Amino acid sequence: MTVTIVGAQFGDEGKGGIVDVFGEAADVVVRYQGGDNAGHTVVREGTEYKLSLVPSGAVRGKVGVLGNGCVVNPETLFDEVDTLRDRGLDPDVRVARRAHVIFPYHRVLDGIEEEVKSESDGNLEVGTTGRGIGPTYEDKAARHGLRVGDLLDPDVLRERLSYVVPKKRALAEEVYGVDTDDRFDVDALFEQYRSYGERLAREEMTVNAGAFLTDRLAAGDDVVFEGAQGTGLDIDHGTYPYVTSSNPTAGGASTGSGVSPAVVADGEVVGIVKAYLSRVGTGPMPTELGGVVGDTPGYEEDTEGRREELATRIREDGGEYGTVTGRPRRVGWLDVPVLRHATRVSGFTGLAVNHVDTLAGIEEVRVGHSYTVEGEELHSLPATTERWGDCTPNFRTFDGWPEFDSSAVAAEGYDALPAEARAYLEYIEDELDTPVYAVGVGPGRSETVVREHPL
Ligand code: GDP
Ligand code: IMO
Ligand code: MG
């Protein structure tokens, strides 16, 4: 049995926490895309763990797998593994030999490309996490990337580096006109990454992910596929070009891990929804409240009618600051067309709605129910980002709900939620024609109302 966890919005929906709750019964937790651009928070026995690369399940003694669809920075990987060990845990992490490797030059190029884009006309800067994600996937698609398996063989490693590194150095120096250092030096990189390869081999961390997972499933194990980012950041189904470079949607669970789509479709696919909307980086956001300088398009020129106070209140109460970068996140009302789109793309069989506590105490809660653009009403996301940027939301209004005791409600169950909050959740269920399996009422594990356990 499998459960696939997919972010229904723009990342940071609280996927880590739900993987933690649903993954309790699982044996294996698999990341299938992305890299250390993700930031997942898991709270265990009052201790907070922030993970970028290691699958959340590793905090609870599950086998964590980084699938072939991931891009792996070995330095981050070992840092996280060592930190977890220092804190008394014994994480069992396996890495696909087919996964691509992030090198220091990818990070440098990520920064340079963002800077160049920011100086261009047309606002092409994405606001990336600067982790080298895009440049690494570029190399994968260009067929000159290096894979985890290449780190295990010194001859292959040197051969591949000798081909690609001079090209990267020339790009940095001759196209972008920046000075380069050891991060663009074949010998230095060979030494550093050879030692990572030795450690991966010594600790027997590498696997043929598809075969490994198929064997575990055949043996009766339960597997959770943990999506990073979210549908709006999907390179195909998100708001291109303001996206990441992989497929967080459910199809990615198959291609990014090496199991058949039928395996994913046989299991449950749970869409993780934040009760409002947050976004890090640039790109349109029709239901945005307030704004973040540098990220909200046109914000510096026009702050009229943006409801700053409410935005600040939600940002502070919801802890809406990036796990990886610490940047303030943009916040807005729930955008239902985004959720309809996400539900269609990934085929959600259930939903988890988080941060219902964060909205408590707000008198009137709104949702963007549909959009109007050029006189037409739309119920789902238009295919071009420019058109999305032109959409005006048609709001629906809900009575707000009072503050409540999260732990008590979680212990008592769904019916203990304020009636107004239940009405809000039932609206979401109806619109998406998908049941709500869990409701997040606080960051802790004991602050999740579980109605149905997919495993
Ligand atoms: P992820 O990237 O989707 O795993 O989410 P993040 O961990 O980046 O961001 C979610 C943040 O919200 C974390 O700090 C969580 O501890 C917190 N969180 C998750 N669910 C809830 C919830 O229901 N209520 C509140 N107040 N916080 C939550
Ligand atoms: P989790 O897994 C929110 C955003 C970045 C940027 C865009 C591209 O914690 O939900 P990238 O570095 O991937 O090339 O950046 O995607 N982004 C995220 N936003 N949550 C994430 O991950 C994100 N990972 C990337 O802010 O806009
Ligand atoms: Mg996050």
Side-chain angles (χ1 to χ4, degrees):
M1 169 76 186
T2 69
V3 178
T4 302
I5 301 290
V6 176
Q9 294 150 320
F10 291 87
D12 303 324
E13 299 90 349
K15 298 176 293 292
I18 296 294
V19 168
D20 191 38
V21 172
F22 288 166
E24 180 164 37
D27 304 287
V28 183
V29 178
V30 188
R31 283 272 310 265
Y32 54 86
Q33 44 71 234
D36 55 347
N37 50 347
H40 299 176
T41 315
V42 181
V43 182
R44 182 193 182 213
E45 287 160 16
T47 307
E48 194 175 73
Y49 297 88
K50 290 194 183 293
L51 298 170
S52 289
L53 197 52
V54 167
S56 309
V59 171
R60 291 200 196 274
K62 315 292 175 193
V63 179
V65 177
L66 296 172
N68 55 277
C70 294
V71 286
V72 179
N73 185 329
E75 195 174 342
T76 312
L77 175 66
F78 290 132
D79 268 1
E80 289 190 3
V81 166
D82 291 342
T83 304
L84 290 173
R85 284 186 186 155
D86 289 347
R87 293 170 79 173
L89 303 177
D90 183 22
D92 181 354
V93 182
R94 314 295 176 96
V95 190
R97 287 192 279 272
R98 287 187 170 91
H100 278 251
V101 178
I102 300 179
F103 281 84
Y105 51 80
H106 290 124
R107 280 200 180 205
V108 176
L109 290 168
D110 195 355
I112 297 175
E113 282 161 15
E114 281 282 285
E115 200 177 312
V116 172
K117 282 181 174 175
S118 75
E119 289 159 3
S120 71
D121 295 336
N123 202 10
L124 283 170
E125 189 186 8
V126 180
T128 72
T129 58
R131 298 295 189 269
I133 305 298
T136 306
Y137 280 114
E138 275 177 48
D139 282 2
K140 172 180 178 175
R143 296 163 294 190
H144 55 217
L146 279 91
R147 306 203 292 182
V148 167
D150 301 336
L151 305 184
L152 306 176
D153 182 332
D155 294 338
V156 174
L157 177 60
R158 184 172 281 283
E159 194 180 287
R160 297 270 150 88
L161 285 172
S162 301
Y163 175 78
V164 79
V165 173
K167 291 189 166 41
K168 300 293 163 187
R169 196 170 51 232
L171 176 65
E173 290 176 351
E174 288 162 33
V175 176
Y176 293 123
V178 299
D179 291 336
T180 57
D181 53 20
D182 267 7
R183 292 173 294 183
F184 291 80
D185 181 81
V186 173
D187 291 331
L189 291 168
F190 175 80
E191 289 309 322
Q192 187 185 359
Y193 279 71
R194 177 66 200 130
S195 82
Y196 293 144
E198 282 166 357
R199 180 165 173 189
L200 288 167
R202 196 168 54 245
E203 300 191 15
E204 296 179 359
M205 287 174 75
T206 71
V207 289
N208 180 345
F212 178 82
L213 293 171
T214 303
D215 288 349
R216 300 289 301 233
L217 284 162
D221 277 2
D222 289 323
V223 174
V224 172
F225 293 103
E226 175 180 22
Q229 289 86 48
T231 307
L233 295 171
D234 186 288
I235 185 143
D236 288 286
H237 305 291
T239 58
Y240 193 91
Y242 308 109
V243 292
T244 191
S245 300
S246 65
N247 291 118
T249 48
S254 164
T255 54
S257 73
V259 303
S260 132
V263 170
V264 176
D266 257 359
E268 299 253 12
V269 180
V270 181
I272 314 302
V273 177
K274 188 176 275 187
Y276 47 94
L277 193 63
S278 73
R279 174 164 206 175
V280 194
T282 49
M285 187 170 166
T287 61
E288 184 166 17
L289 291 159
V292 171
V293 174
D295 285 349
T296 304
Y299 180 57
E300 288 82 348
E301 298 95 63
D302 175 22
T303 55
E304 279 289 304
R306 283 186 176 270
R307 304 197 64 183
E308 291 302 334
E309 220 170 280
L310 187 55
T312 304
R313 144 83 166 79
I314 293 174
R315 187 175 298 117
E316 296 304 320
D317 285 6
E320 297 298 349
Y321 293 89
T323 313
V324 174
T325 57
R327 288 190 282 174
R329 295 176 184 150
R330 298 162 67 192
V331 297
W333 294 123
L334 190 73
D335 186 316
V336 184
V338 166
L339 298 181
R340 293 190 191 99
H341 172 72
T343 304
R344 179 177 54 73
V345 171
S346 288
F348 296 147
T349 57
L351 304 169
V353 183
N354 284 322
H355 281 270
V356 167
D357 56 309
T358 305
L359 294 183
I362 296 175
E363 205 168 308
E364 183 187 273
V365 176
R366 292 176 147 202
V367 301
H369 173 79
S370 63
Y371 306 132
T372 297
V373 59
E374 291 163 13
E376 194 189 339
E377 188 181 17
L378 296 186
H379 284 85
S380 190
L381 212 58
T384 73
T385 302
E386 290 65 33
R387 193 164 158 85
W388 191 43
D390 290 337
C391 287
T392 311
N394 300 312
F395 287 109
R396 283 208 184 169
T397 304
F398 290 80
D399 289 337
W401 46 93
E403 311 261 356
F404 55 88
D405 179 340
S406 294
S407 300
V409 165
E412 251 182 90
Y414 184 78
D415 290 335
L417 279 167
E420 299 86 348
R422 279 183 279 130
Y424 187 77
L425 293 165
E426 280 147 29
Y427 160 81
I428 297 171
E429 285 190 315
D430 284 349
E431 289 303 316
L432 306 184
D433 196 17
T434 309
V436 170
Y437 283 176
V439 184
V441 290
R445 198 185 195 205
S446 59
E447 294 166 317
T448 307
V449 180
V450 180
R451 282 169 103 187
E452 172 133 0
H453 210 300
L455 280 177

